[in-house]
Amino acid sequence: IGAAVATSFGLGILVGWRPNDDCHIVRSLWHKRGQGSCHAYLNRNVLHEIMEASVGFKVVTSGGSGKVVGYINGGRKFSEGKYLIQMRKHGRTDKELTEMNRSEI
């Protein structure tokens, strides 16, 4: 519980599990909170892999720190894609969007 996971519907955070019916509760498949966030009640067969992060997470990458603002080209199981990271340029206030592989986070 608390891990970022790839599901058949996108990335989310595992927030609960009901042992009586093996239902996994995943939060924020599209947004971390607010409008567009939700809970999904999913069977085990649609959970595919533990991920490094999900949308809205602050991350440390090989190029510095930033925030995950998207995940693209995830493939059929949403575990083969690239993260879109919003990173602040060194010494500047403006931010740049960088595409990164999972191994770079």
Side-chain angles (χ1 to χ4, degrees), residues 1 6 14-15 38 43 47 53 59 69 77 83-84 86 91 100:
I1 294 184
L14 183 65
V15 295
C38 66
N43 291 320
L47 297 178
V59 294
V69 295
K77 294 185 176 183
Y83 288 99
L84 296 177
Q86 189 175 47
M100 295 196 153

Side-chain angles (χ1 to χ4, degrees), residues 3-46:
V5 293
T7 76
S8 294
F9 307 101
L11 301 185
I13 307 305
L14 183 65
V15 295
W17 174 62
R18 294 191 316 220
N20 58 327
D21 61 357
D22 197 31
C23 183
H24 295 76
I25 305 165
V26 177
R27 171 94 174 132
S28 305
L29 292 171
W30 300 279
H31 294 282
K32 187 173 178 181
R33 63 178 179 247
Q35 187 175 359
S37 68
C38 66
H39 282 93
Y41 296 83
L42 305 172
N43 291 320
R44 181 182 300 269
N45 63 339
V46 298

Side-chain angles (χ1 to χ4, degrees), residues 36-76:
S37 68
C38 66
H39 282 93
Y41 296 83
L42 305 172
N43 291 320
R44 181 182 300 269
N45 63 339
V46 298
L47 297 178
H48 302 299
E49 193 168 339
I50 294 175
M51 301 294 286
E52 295 76 17
S54 189
V55 174
F57 277 49
K58 292 180 181 177
V59 294
V60 177
T61 73
S62 57
S65 61
K67 180 181 176 182
V68 178
V69 295
Y71 185 75
I72 58 171
N73 303 326
R76 201 178 80 172

Side-chain angles (χ1 to χ4, degrees), residues 73-88:
N73 303 326
R76 201 178 80 172
K77 294 185 176 183
F78 282 92
S79 59
E80 303 162 4
K82 292 186 177 192
Y83 288 99
L84 296 177
I85 310 294
Q86 189 175 47
M87 299 179 70
R88 183 166 297 183

